[in-house]
Each structure stands twice: as C-alpha cells, then as structure tokens.
Amino acid sequence: TVTVTAAGLASAADAAVDGGTIRPIGIVGANGRTGALCVASCLRRGIPVRALTRSGSWSSPSGEEYNMDNMVDDKLLSIQQCDARDISALETGISGCSVVIYAASVSKKGGKKAKEIDNEAVIAAGKACIAKCVGRYVVISSTAATRPKSLGYLFTNVFQNIMGEKRLGELGVMSAYDNINQSSSLLSSSYTIIRPGGLEETKLNVVLGPAALELSQGDAIAGIISRADLAEVAVQTAQSQSTNLQNTAFELYYTDSAQPCEGRFKYLLQNGQVARLHGDTYDALIHGLKPDGTYFVPN
C-alpha cells in the first residue's frame, strides 16, 4: 500500500488541465474500498485523476496485484481534502473536473450516517457537478435499491436504512438533472447510476473484464461482481462519450451469477422483456443501454 498526501503533488487547480486540454476525473470517496480502486484504474490507464478524500491523503489499494510503487505520478494524481458532507468543499474539489465518480458509502466501521453519505451527499455532489459544468456524474449505488420487498434490500437495509437512503440519493440526482434548463449550456451535463450486484471480496477481487459481465435495466436482475470490475466499469463509464450512458441507470454483475432480484421476476431471465446486455468490449457492453424512462421496468 502506498499512502500519499497533497504535499508534493500537483495542486487540484494545476491538475485540472494537462497540456491545456485534459481535465481530471474526480473520485469522491477515493479512500474507500471501491474509490481507491477507481483511482488506481485511472493511474494505470494514464488518466489524470483527483482523489477527493476527507483526510487530504490517499492510500492505494492493498494487495500485490495493486502494486502502485511506480504509478503514483504527480502529473496524473492530485489530492484534495474534501468531506462529502460539506457542500462548499464539494464544489471546490469538483471544480475543473471533466467527470466525477461518487464512490463513497457509509461503513459499519465509521461514525458517519447513511442519510448523510448515501443520500444527502450524493445529491449535493450532483448539484455541484451541475453548477461546475462537469460533463458526467457517475454514482455507484446498488442493485435492488428500488425493490424494498427483495431479500437483498431487506438484508442490507437493516444497517441504517442504507438501501432506502441510496434510493433517495438516486431520486435526488435524477430530479436535479431533470431541472436543468435544457436551453442552457448545461445541456451536455448528465448522470449515470451504476447499480452493482453483491460485492465479492476478498475471495474474488479481480478484473475479469467485459466478456464476463452483464448489464440490465429495470432493477429486476441481480448477481455478484468484484469491486475491481466495478471500478473498471465506473472509470470506463466516466471516459466514454457514448450517449447511451446519458441520464440512465443500469445493473452490473457477472453473467454466470445472474438471478432475479425477487422470485416473481424469474420469468424475466428468459422472456427477453428485460434486455440482458453482453459484449467483448466495454463499448459493445453498453451499446444497448437506454435512458431512464424508456426501458421496461416490471411492477
């Protein structure tokens, strides 16, 4: 594990533009288990990245497969102290970013509340992205967030009503982007909500790549996914210029783990009403995605 602080690295303002053209991807919650992997993914790809952390330092993911000794480049990595609960700090940290990935979530080990981190801060970061003309806001949520009767929702929600808060966060982001004046210069700003299935670790925390993945929409099918693959999809979503990713939500899991979110949706695994998307490349994988409000959502 490599731990670095803002001291000695490029400042957030200096890292905002590389060669006058490339702005960084901002990662909110960059010291979390998923957020740290998102930062590492950007660095491996040679993408400028801004780690937004409450402490003002960033620690690389642990494990031999994440050896970052030669990848912490001050031309690519900037670090900004940013408490996701502080609206002013969010706007300062997000300013100058091309895309923002919200990877923060409340932890059972921490003292923060799900309402603050998985709901209010999610919405606040989205509004900050709109205010600062960030091109895309990528939110990492959860499958079953819209299915309060599902076992996945009921089991997870015991902790601080976290699933309920995640859904309120989603709805707040959708509402904020719906309210953008479509005649303004903010027309190019959009959101993408990724709903990963159950996060498998440490047993399985490797990148299997797009060929192993399945996407669907309507929150009817779920499965498992590694944080490593989730981070790769989040960064790919942030980088992509595809209009298929504008103002939409999708579920993400391994194809061989697919199962109905609720038992009553078992028929959807076969009948084609819910599109199950696959591809050997990330571009092929996302090709069939549709905007929110245009795809089938079972009651």
Side-chain angles (χ1 to χ4, degrees):
T1 300
V2 177
T3 301
V4 291
T5 66
L9 286 176
S11 70
D14 292 338
V17 178
D18 180 10
T21 57
I22 302 176
R23 299 190 296 164
I25 294 175
I27 313 292
V28 180
N31 268 338
R33 287 176 291 177
T34 302
L37 290 168
C38 289
V39 175
S41 176
C42 288
L43 293 175
R44 285 198 306 272
R45 295 168 183 238
I47 301 170
V49 58
R50 184 180 302 167
L52 302 173
T53 71
R54 190 162 54 124
S55 65
S57 63
W58 177 72
S59 297
S60 66
S62 59
E64 294 181 2
E65 66 270 35
Y66 302 114
N67 186 346
M68 306 298 295
D69 289 343
N70 298 317
M71 293 187 186
V72 180
D73 184 342
D74 62 4
K75 294 180 180 178
L76 295 178
L77 175 65
S78 61
I79 300 169
Q80 179 88 19
Q81 187 170 11
C82 176
D83 189 325
R85 298 168 294 183
D86 185 332
I87 295 175
S88 177
L90 278 172
E91 289 194 354
T92 300
I94 284 169
S95 182
C97 290
S98 59
V99 182
V100 168
I101 298 173
Y102 191 97
S105 185
V106 72
S107 169
K108 292 181 180 179
K109 297 180 181 179
K112 293 175 285 187
K113 297 180 179 179
K115 182 179 180 181
E116 296 173 336
I117 304 302
D118 293 88
N119 175 359
E120 295 171 346
V122 172
I123 298 169
K127 291 180 177 179
C129 286
I130 292 171
K132 296 298 180 179
C133 300
V134 172
R136 177 169 293 146
Y137 179 41
V138 179
V139 177
I140 297 176
S141 183
S142 175
T143 52
T146 72
R147 302 295 177 185
K149 295 182 180 180
S150 68
L151 290 178
Y153 185 107
L154 292 170
F155 178 79
T156 308
N157 204 51
V158 171
F159 176 65
Q160 292 193 20
N161 188 40
I162 188 171
M163 295 295 279
E165 301 299 348
K166 284 181 180 292
R167 180 54 178 162
L168 289 173
E170 289 185 0
L171 291 172
V173 169
M174 293 173 181
S175 176
Y177 279 86
D178 282 345
N179 289 335
I180 293 176
N181 184 344
Q182 295 300 304
S183 64
S184 75
S185 61
L186 295 175
L187 182 60
S188 61
S189 297
S190 64
Y191 69 84
T192 306
I193 296 171
I194 302 174
R195 295 179 181 141
L199 296 170
E200 278 284 292
E201 59 177 349
T202 56
K203 180 176 65 176
L204 177 64
N205 199 21
V206 296
V207 177
L208 299 184
L213 304 176
E214 178 172 303
L215 308 185
S216 60
Q217 295 181 283
D219 207 12
I221 302 176
I224 61 171
I225 186 75
S226 72
R227 288 187 189 272
D229 263 314
L230 168 58
E232 292 300 313
V233 171
V235 172
Q236 188 67 30
T237 298
Q239 275 194 294
S240 176
Q241 299 299 310
S242 174
T243 57
N244 295 69
L245 291 166
Q246 292 180 355
N247 298 331
T248 193
F250 64 85
E251 292 75 61
L252 168 69
Y253 44 86
Y254 292 126
T255 304
D256 62 8
S257 73
Q259 58 185 317
C261 189
E262 297 182 31
R264 63 195 177 95
F265 294 149
K266 188 174 182 180
Y267 73 98
L268 293 171
L269 293 174
Q270 304 293 337
N271 76 353
Q273 279 186 287
V274 170
R276 301 177 62 184
L277 307 177
H278 307 97
D280 291 331
T281 66
Y282 289 112
D283 285 342
L285 187 65
I286 66 174
H287 181 71
L289 290 175
K290 297 179 180 179
D292 286 339
T294 66
Y295 50 80
F296 173 69
V297 179
N299 294 322

